[in-house]
Amino acid sequence: MARIRAFPHLVASDASVAWSGWLRRVGDAVVALPTQVEGWDYAQSLDLETEVWVDAQEFVESTGLHDLSEVRLVATVDCPSTNQRHLSITPLTEFLARSQRHVTIHIPSGSVANDINLAVHIALASDMQRQEDGLTASEAGARLASSPTTRVYLEGSASRFPTEAISFSAAQMEEAAWSIRIRFDDLRESFAGSVRLLLNSDHPVGSRLASMDETVYGAVASFLRLDIIRALLGAVADHLTETGLDQLPLDEDSIGAVMSELCVHYLGKDFVSVAELRRSDPARFERVLQEGVGISIGAPR
Amino acid sequence: MSSRVYPRLPNADARLLAEELREASLSGLDAVREFVGASHPRAATVPTGGRPASESEILQVRQAVLADVGEWVDGRVLPRRVQPEFDARLGNALHMALEIIPADAAHEETWNFLTLVLLPDVALTRFPTLTEERALGGQRNVLRRAWSRWDILGELLMRGSPLLGEDELVGLLERTAVARNRSLVKALAERVLNYQGARARSEYARDLYKRVRYRTGPLMLDLYSSADLDDLITLESNACA
């Protein structure tokens, strides 16, 4: 399904565009791109591709664009860690004329680290004559369709929640088993750079969590998860501006976007609703949170 | 040519070393300089990818940085008015001398080493209290921030009177949706540097960034030519000037 926010112009219908998973070209072979790439290192470049199906007639009807000459397919690779974006731009008319409907993108060696976000967009490259209906996209850059974002982890620990084992006593911190450190000024800041689970290496529970001890992990993982999500919700709710979260342009890796995902995933609600519940009925918020995240003893969910 | 990787110092060790440096700084920069080195028993380069910088190359980085900002690394408090120039020159020197693979520069532990083992006196000159967020290698680390800003903006950091200030840079670069579009970031920076209106420049910059950021929702500005970006920024600038 196409991912489109409410825009001031007509966008492509879901029926007009279909996306597929990402593939990696290794020599002459093309293999499915896994969520966690094994054996990758900085010396390797990455050649990625994905197939896109565009029903030209349906696309024209839904967007109102009868001239596709300025429409572009844009593959993007964003690396939050290196703060780099790679693009591959193909004219839609050229793409439609091909027998192979693949979009490809090359990522030079050494330019990405930790994890990358992949997506394909369809957008206007240049201004077009404004149509009488006033709704058809005419402004350069107008987004017409966007694929879901695919996150791929390139380095070993990138897929884990940002975690660090430290001696709380050496850091002059109280002897808790864990602590959640959340530091950000803006909801658009990187989640991974803003949030850290600190495990106390001096504490019998903290140190065994750090070493992924199965018994301790199974016993407290759900409480830990609950604690983390509660702390995150609180910190982000305190920063929520009156404009609301959904109206801000948020990158996939931003703390605002990750919190939105967490709210939907665990609580089945949008973030603004969750923040309002937390403010108006704290006790019910706790129950909803506990029900959504789940309390269990045993293997973590 | 970016080809080197540098030793990485784990966060736990970096935190302890930062505490030792803060204590030493109470006795002056000479005491801090006793910690300076090109290696650390707990630091190691990433095993795959890139060429590990040799100890002599690591020390050359220190020399290059001190050649550019050493005049201020004298134990006195860095005047506020000098900070933008200090940061710009530090970023330039690091960018030129490190020749670091961007992927290696993306890791906190790399900057832990460079900040606390190689250049602790420089770090303490810029941030005398050396709080954790400035000492450890996150996005706000004293060296990483300067390197990264130079990586994106380059010589624009040395232009203008005054130079781009802290608020103007934070607003420009710590918003990831905008910061990865480097043409857009540079065009915005140039526009702010050229601003000659009646408002405080930093206020104008904040409004301009906000207006342009909202345009990144419906519009994919990565498709814009430099002329297109100029037109868009002019439009938004006129609305907030």
Side-chain angles (χ1 to χ4, degrees), chain A residues 234-271:
Chain A
V236 175
D238 291 342
H239 275 71
L240 192 62
T241 65
E242 60 188 19
T243 58
L245 194 64
D246 292 334
Q247 292 171 39
L248 295 167
L250 295 167
D251 271 11
E252 300 287 334
D253 58 292
S254 66
I255 190 162
V258 172
M259 285 313 301
S260 288
E261 281 178 27
L262 281 176
C263 287
V264 171
H265 178 76
Y266 283 113
L267 309 181
K269 299 176 189 294
D270 65 82
F271 182 79

mmCIF file of all heavy atoms in Angstrom, chain A residues 234-271:
data_model
loop_
_atom_site.group_PDB
_atom_site.id
_atom_site.type_symbol
_atom_site.label_atom_id
_atom_site.label_comp_id
_atom_site.label_asym_id
_atom_site.label_seq_id
_atom_site.Cartn_x
_atom_site.Cartn_y
_atom_site.Cartn_z
ATOM 1 N N GLY A 234 6.429 9.437 28.463
ATOM 2 C CA GLY A 234 6.425 10.609 29.328
ATOM 3 C C GLY A 234 7.297 11.712 28.772
ATOM 4 O O GLY A 234 6.894 12.873 28.690
ATOM 5 N N ALA A 235 8.506 11.331 28.353
ATOM 6 C CA ALA A 235 9.442 12.343 27.857
ATOM 7 C C ALA A 235 8.922 13.001 26.585
ATOM 8 O O ALA A 235 9.008 14.211 26.410
ATOM 9 C CB ALA A 235 10.807 11.704 27.595
ATOM 10 N N VAL A 236 8.374 12.184 25.689
ATOM 11 C CA VAL A 236 7.893 12.739 24.418
ATOM 12 C C VAL A 236 6.615 13.549 24.631
ATOM 13 O O VAL A 236 6.438 14.611 24.030
ATOM 14 C CB VAL A 236 7.686 11.607 23.387
ATOM 15 C CG1 VAL A 236 7.070 12.152 22.113
ATOM 16 C CG2 VAL A 236 9.023 10.948 23.072
ATOM 17 N N ALA A 237 5.740 13.069 25.503
ATOM 18 C CA ALA A 237 4.492 13.809 25.764
ATOM 19 C C ALA A 237 4.808 15.203 26.294
ATOM 20 O O ALA A 237 4.129 16.171 25.954
ATOM 21 C CB ALA A 237 3.624 13.039 26.752
ATOM 22 N N ASP A 238 5.840 15.294 27.111
ATOM 23 C CA ASP A 238 6.202 16.593 27.664
ATOM 24 C C ASP A 238 6.698 17.553 26.582
ATOM 25 O O ASP A 238 6.702 18.761 26.769
ATOM 26 C CB ASP A 238 7.290 16.436 28.741
ATOM 27 C CG ASP A 238 6.734 15.751 29.973
ATOM 28 O OD1 ASP A 238 5.493 15.730 30.116
ATOM 29 O OD2 ASP A 238 7.526 15.231 30.776
ATOM 30 N N HIS A 239 7.166 16.995 25.473
ATOM 31 C CA HIS A 239 7.675 17.849 24.394
ATOM 32 C C HIS A 239 6.643 18.099 23.300
ATOM 33 O O HIS A 239 6.917 18.825 22.359
ATOM 34 C CB HIS A 239 8.910 17.214 23.738
ATOM 35 C CG HIS A 239 10.175 17.520 24.455
ATOM 36 N ND1 HIS A 239 10.475 16.974 25.680
ATOM 37 C CD2 HIS A 239 11.198 18.326 24.141
ATOM 38 C CE1 HIS A 239 11.652 17.424 26.077
ATOM 39 N NE2 HIS A 239 12.109 18.248 25.164
ATOM 40 N N LEU A 240 5.512 17.449 23.428
ATOM 41 C CA LEU A 240 4.515 17.570 22.366
ATOM 42 C C LEU A 240 4.024 19.010 22.277
ATOM 43 O O LEU A 240 3.573 19.601 23.243
ATOM 44 C CB LEU A 240 3.344 16.642 22.676
ATOM 45 C CG LEU A 240 2.349 16.410 21.556
ATOM 46 C CD1 LEU A 240 3.029 15.757 20.370
ATOM 47 C CD2 LEU A 240 1.219 15.544 22.051
ATOM 48 N N THR A 241 4.110 19.559 21.112
ATOM 49 C CA THR A 241 3.666 20.950 20.960
ATOM 50 C C THR A 241 2.189 20.955 20.596
ATOM 51 O O THR A 241 1.601 19.931 20.280
ATOM 52 C CB THR A 241 4.445 21.647 19.837
ATOM 53 O OG1 THR A 241 4.102 21.009 18.616
ATOM 54 C CG2 THR A 241 5.925 21.572 20.084
ATOM 55 N N GLU A 242 1.612 22.108 20.598
ATOM 56 C CA GLU A 242 0.193 22.186 20.286
ATOM 57 C C GLU A 242 -0.096 21.864 18.823
ATOM 58 O O GLU A 242 -1.223 21.622 18.444
ATOM 59 C CB GLU A 242 -0.332 23.579 20.624
ATOM 60 C CG GLU A 242 0.366 24.684 19.865
ATOM 61 C CD GLU A 242 -0.048 26.058 20.357
ATOM 62 O OE1 GLU A 242 -0.579 26.137 21.493
ATOM 63 O OE2 GLU A 242 0.148 27.020 19.635
ATOM 64 N N THR A 243 0.945 21.839 17.987
ATOM 65 C CA THR A 243 0.709 21.485 16.585
ATOM 66 C C THR A 243 0.405 20.001 16.434
ATOM 67 O O THR A 243 -0.169 19.596 15.430
ATOM 68 C CB THR A 243 1.947 21.791 15.728
ATOM 69 O OG1 THR A 243 3.047 21.059 16.250
ATOM 70 C CG2 THR A 243 2.269 23.259 15.717
ATOM 71 N N GLY A 244 0.772 19.209 17.435
ATOM 72 C CA GLY A 244 0.514 17.776 17.359
ATOM 73 C C GLY A 244 1.590 17.060 16.577
ATOM 74 O O GLY A 244 2.251 17.632 15.724
ATOM 75 N N LEU A 245 1.751 15.799 16.888
ATOM 76 C CA LEU A 245 2.839 15.018 16.314
ATOM 77 C C LEU A 245 2.642 14.742 14.825
ATOM 78 O O LEU A 245 3.564 14.798 14.039
ATOM 79 C CB LEU A 245 2.925 13.692 17.081
ATOM 80 C CG LEU A 245 4.152 12.856 16.909
ATOM 81 C CD1 LEU A 245 5.365 13.571 17.440
ATOM 82 C CD2 LEU A 245 3.964 11.534 17.626
ATOM 83 N N ASP A 246 1.414 14.457 14.433
ATOM 84 C CA ASP A 246 1.184 13.985 13.072
ATOM 85 C C ASP A 246 1.406 15.065 12.024
ATOM 86 O O ASP A 246 1.555 14.772 10.853
ATOM 87 C CB ASP A 246 -0.231 13.436 12.935
ATOM 88 C CG ASP A 246 -0.405 12.172 13.738
ATOM 89 O OD1 ASP A 246 0.614 11.492 13.965
ATOM 90 O OD2 ASP A 246 -1.518 11.884 14.145
ATOM 91 N N GLN A 247 1.402 16.311 12.437
ATOM 92 C CA GLN A 247 1.560 17.365 11.437
ATOM 93 C C GLN A 247 3.013 17.761 11.228
ATOM 94 O O GLN A 247 3.313 18.591 10.386
ATOM 95 C CB GLN A 247 0.750 18.587 11.866
ATOM 96 C CG GLN A 247 -0.746 18.298 11.791
ATOM 97 C CD GLN A 247 -1.557 19.402 12.408
ATOM 98 O OE1 GLN A 247 -1.232 20.560 12.255
ATOM 99 N NE2 GLN A 247 -2.591 19.029 13.125
ATOM 100 N N LEU A 248 3.903 17.181 12.000
ATOM 101 C CA LEU A 248 5.312 17.492 11.827
ATOM 102 C C LEU A 248 5.907 16.552 10.794
ATOM 103 O O LEU A 248 5.608 15.369 10.801
ATOM 104 C CB LEU A 248 6.068 17.296 13.153
ATOM 105 C CG LEU A 248 5.681 18.220 14.292
ATOM 106 C CD1 LEU A 248 6.262 17.699 15.584
ATOM 107 C CD2 LEU A 248 6.182 19.623 14.024
ATOM 108 N N PRO A 249 6.764 17.058 9.870
ATOM 109 C CA PRO A 249 7.456 16.146 8.985
ATOM 110 C C PRO A 249 8.542 15.403 9.760
ATOM 111 O O PRO A 249 9.527 15.998 10.169
ATOM 112 C CB PRO A 249 8.052 17.066 7.913
ATOM 113 C CG PRO A 249 8.054 18.431 8.485
ATOM 114 C CD PRO A 249 7.083 18.470 9.607
ATOM 115 N N LEU A 250 8.329 14.131 9.991
ATOM 116 C CA LEU A 250 9.258 13.366 10.830
ATOM 117 C C LEU A 250 9.968 12.311 10.003
ATOM 118 O O LEU A 250 9.328 11.578 9.250
ATOM 119 C CB LEU A 250 8.496 12.666 11.965
ATOM 120 C CG LEU A 250 7.830 13.573 13.001
ATOM 121 C CD1 LEU A 250 6.875 12.759 13.863
ATOM 122 C CD2 LEU A 250 8.877 14.243 13.871
ATOM 123 N N ASP A 251 11.270 12.227 10.157
ATOM 124 C CA ASP A 251 12.014 11.138 9.540
ATOM 125 C C ASP A 251 11.668 9.834 10.237
ATOM 126 O O ASP A 251 11.310 9.816 11.402
ATOM 127 C CB ASP A 251 13.515 11.385 9.690
ATOM 128 C CG ASP A 251 14.048 12.190 8.532
ATOM 129 O OD1 ASP A 251 13.226 12.703 7.765
ATOM 130 O OD2 ASP A 251 15.272 12.294 8.415
ATOM 131 N N GLU A 252 11.871 8.728 9.514
ATOM 132 C CA GLU A 252 11.535 7.418 10.070
ATOM 133 C C GLU A 252 12.311 7.112 11.340
ATOM 134 O O GLU A 252 11.833 6.413 12.223
ATOM 135 C CB GLU A 252 11.836 6.319 9.036
ATOM 136 C CG GLU A 252 11.061 6.449 7.743
ATOM 137 C CD GLU A 252 9.602 6.087 7.906
ATOM 138 O OE1 GLU A 252 9.299 5.306 8.815
ATOM 139 O OE2 GLU A 252 8.776 6.600 7.131
ATOM 140 N N ASP A 253 13.528 7.642 11.431
ATOM 141 C CA ASP A 253 14.372 7.303 12.569
ATOM 142 C C ASP A 253 14.264 8.336 13.688
ATOM 143 O O ASP A 253 14.990 8.255 14.664
ATOM 144 C CB ASP A 253 15.829 7.201 12.113
ATOM 145 C CG ASP A 253 16.301 8.493 11.478
ATOM 146 O OD1 ASP A 253 15.794 8.803 10.400
ATOM 147 O OD2 ASP A 253 17.137 9.187 12.069
ATOM 148 N N SER A 254 13.380 9.310 13.536
ATOM 149 C CA SER A 254 13.277 10.348 14.566
ATOM 150 C C SER A 254 12.557 9.816 15.793
ATOM 151 O O SER A 254 11.793 8.847 15.716
ATOM 152 C CB SER A 254 12.516 11.552 14.013
ATOM 153 O OG SER A 254 11.179 11.194 13.758
ATOM 154 N N ILE A 255 12.786 10.471 16.905
ATOM 155 C CA ILE A 255 12.152 9.999 18.135
ATOM 156 C C ILE A 255 10.634 10.143 18.040
ATOM 157 O O ILE A 255 9.887 9.291 18.528
ATOM 158 C CB ILE A 255 12.745 10.727 19.367
ATOM 159 C CG1 ILE A 255 12.267 10.050 20.645
ATOM 160 C CG2 ILE A 255 12.405 12.211 19.385
ATOM 161 C CD1 ILE A 255 13.094 10.394 21.852
ATOM 162 N N GLY A 256 10.149 11.168 17.356
ATOM 163 C CA GLY A 256 8.715 11.327 17.194
ATOM 164 C C GLY A 256 8.100 10.200 16.377
ATOM 165 O O GLY A 256 7.051 9.654 16.730
ATOM 166 N N ALA A 257 8.773 9.826 15.283
ATOM 167 C CA ALA A 257 8.249 8.765 14.427
ATOM 168 C C ALA A 257 8.288 7.419 15.138
ATOM 169 O O ALA A 257 7.344 6.624 15.061
ATOM 170 C CB ALA A 257 9.058 8.704 13.133
ATOM 171 N N VAL A 258 9.386 7.153 15.853
ATOM 172 C CA VAL A 258 9.495 5.871 16.557
ATOM 173 C C VAL A 258 8.422 5.783 17.639
ATOM 174 O O VAL A 258 7.793 4.734 17.836
ATOM 175 C CB VAL A 258 10.911 5.702 17.159
ATOM 176 C CG1 VAL A 258 10.975 4.477 18.058
ATOM 177 C CG2 VAL A 258 11.942 5.592 16.050
ATOM 178 N N MET A 259 8.164 6.881 18.337
ATOM 179 C CA MET A 259 7.134 6.856 19.380
ATOM 180 C C MET A 259 5.753 6.638 18.780
ATOM 181 O O MET A 259 4.914 5.941 19.360
ATOM 182 C CB MET A 259 7.165 8.155 20.192
ATOM 183 C CG MET A 259 8.327 8.239 21.153
ATOM 184 S SD MET A 259 8.557 6.757 22.139
ATOM 185 C CE MET A 259 6.979 6.645 22.959
ATOM 186 N N SER A 260 5.504 7.239 17.626
ATOM 187 C CA SER A 260 4.217 7.014 16.955
ATOM 188 C C SER A 260 4.039 5.530 16.647
ATOM 189 O O SER A 260 2.981 4.953 16.875
ATOM 190 C CB SER A 260 4.150 7.813 15.653
ATOM 191 O OG SER A 260 4.022 9.170 15.924
ATOM 192 N N GLU A 261 5.121 4.923 16.133
ATOM 193 C CA GLU A 261 5.061 3.495 15.812
ATOM 194 C C GLU A 261 4.818 2.666 17.065
ATOM 195 O O GLU A 261 4.033 1.717 17.066
ATOM 196 C CB GLU A 261 6.388 3.053 15.179
ATOM 197 C CG GLU A 261 6.529 3.421 13.714
ATOM 198 C CD GLU A 261 7.885 2.983 13.174
ATOM 199 O OE1 GLU A 261 8.457 2.007 13.722
ATOM 200 O OE2 GLU A 261 8.359 3.634 12.246
ATOM 201 N N LEU A 262 5.518 3.014 18.148
ATOM 202 C CA LEU A 262 5.372 2.262 19.394
ATOM 203 C C LEU A 262 3.936 2.335 19.920
ATOM 204 O O LEU A 262 3.387 1.336 20.389
ATOM 205 C CB LEU A 262 6.328 2.809 20.469
ATOM 206 C CG LEU A 262 7.790 2.378 20.395
ATOM 207 C CD1 LEU A 262 8.603 3.092 21.460
ATOM 208 C CD2 LEU A 262 7.906 0.870 20.585
ATOM 209 N N CYS A 263 3.347 3.514 19.827
ATOM 210 C CA CYS A 263 1.977 3.686 20.322
ATOM 211 C C CYS A 263 1.007 2.813 19.538
ATOM 212 O O CYS A 263 0.137 2.153 20.114
ATOM 213 C CB CYS A 263 1.559 5.152 20.222
ATOM 214 S SG CYS A 263 2.355 6.177 21.444
ATOM 215 N N VAL A 264 1.176 2.826 18.221
ATOM 216 C CA VAL A 264 0.278 2.022 17.391
ATOM 217 C C VAL A 264 0.551 0.536 17.634
ATOM 218 O O VAL A 264 -0.376 -0.267 17.790
ATOM 219 C CB VAL A 264 0.469 2.389 15.900
ATOM 220 C CG1 VAL A 264 -0.296 1.422 15.004
ATOM 221 C CG2 VAL A 264 0.007 3.822 15.661
ATOM 222 N N HIS A 265 1.819 0.167 17.716
ATOM 223 C CA HIS A 265 2.180 -1.239 17.845
ATOM 224 C C HIS A 265 1.706 -1.832 19.174
ATOM 225 O O HIS A 265 1.109 -2.898 19.226
ATOM 226 C CB HIS A 265 3.698 -1.402 17.713
ATOM 227 C CG HIS A 265 4.172 -2.820 17.876
ATOM 228 N ND1 HIS A 265 4.015 -3.755 16.888
ATOM 229 C CD2 HIS A 265 4.773 -3.454 18.914
ATOM 230 C CE1 HIS A 265 4.511 -4.917 17.311
ATOM 231 N NE2 HIS A 265 4.981 -4.760 18.535
ATOM 232 N N TYR A 266 1.986 -1.120 20.267
ATOM 233 C CA TYR A 266 1.684 -1.691 21.579
ATOM 234 C C TYR A 266 0.290 -1.328 22.089
ATOM 235 O O TYR A 266 -0.350 -2.115 22.779
ATOM 236 C CB TYR A 266 2.716 -1.224 22.619
ATOM 237 C CG TYR A 266 4.035 -1.949 22.516
ATOM 238 C CD1 TYR A 266 5.185 -1.290 22.122
ATOM 239 C CD2 TYR A 266 4.124 -3.312 22.814
ATOM 240 C CE1 TYR A 266 6.399 -1.954 22.029
ATOM 241 C CE2 TYR A 266 5.333 -3.984 22.715
ATOM 242 C CZ TYR A 266 6.464 -3.301 22.319
ATOM 243 O OH TYR A 266 7.651 -3.971 22.226
ATOM 244 N N LEU A 267 -0.165 -0.119 21.759
ATOM 245 C CA LEU A 267 -1.404 0.348 22.374
ATOM 246 C C LEU A 267 -2.546 0.500 21.374
ATOM 247 O O LEU A 267 -3.691 0.747 21.774
ATOM 248 C CB LEU A 267 -1.166 1.692 23.084
ATOM 249 C CG LEU A 267 0.038 1.721 24.055
ATOM 250 C CD1 LEU A 267 0.160 3.090 24.703
ATOM 251 C CD2 LEU A 267 -0.102 0.654 25.122
ATOM 252 N N GLY A 268 -2.228 0.371 20.100
ATOM 253 C CA GLY A 268 -3.283 0.477 19.094
ATOM 254 C C GLY A 268 -3.875 1.878 19.002
ATOM 255 O O GLY A 268 -5.010 2.047 18.559
ATOM 256 N N LYS A 269 -3.149 2.868 19.454
ATOM 257 C CA LYS A 269 -3.658 4.252 19.422
ATOM 258 C C LYS A 269 -2.585 5.166 18.839
ATOM 259 O O LYS A 269 -1.402 4.849 18.894
ATOM 260 C CB LYS A 269 -3.958 4.745 20.847
ATOM 261 C CG LYS A 269 -4.999 3.958 21.609
ATOM 262 C CD LYS A 269 -5.095 4.506 23.030
ATOM 263 C CE LYS A 269 -5.945 3.638 23.924
ATOM 264 N NZ LYS A 269 -7.359 3.611 23.541
ATOM 265 N N ASP A 270 -3.023 6.316 18.350
ATOM 266 C CA ASP A 270 -2.035 7.283 17.910
ATOM 267 C C ASP A 270 -1.436 7.982 19.131
ATOM 268 O O ASP A 270 -2.010 7.940 20.237
ATOM 269 C CB ASP A 270 -2.633 8.309 16.946
ATOM 270 C CG ASP A 270 -3.674 9.181 17.624
ATOM 271 O OD1 ASP A 270 -3.289 10.146 18.285
ATOM 272 O OD2 ASP A 270 -4.873 8.856 17.504
ATOM 273 N N PHE A 271 -0.301 8.605 18.916
ATOM 274 C CA PHE A 271 0.434 9.150 20.058
ATOM 275 C C PHE A 271 -0.340 10.239 20.790
ATOM 276 O O PHE A 271 -0.318 10.306 22.021
ATOM 277 C CB PHE A 271 1.794 9.696 19.611
ATOM 278 C CG PHE A 271 2.584 10.220 20.767
ATOM 279 C CD1 PHE A 271 3.266 9.343 21.596
ATOM 280 C CD2 PHE A 271 2.594 11.563 21.072
ATOM 281 C CE1 PHE A 271 3.950 9.809 22.693
ATOM 282 C CE2 PHE A 271 3.279 12.038 22.168
ATOM 283 C CZ PHE A 271 3.958 11.160 22.981
#
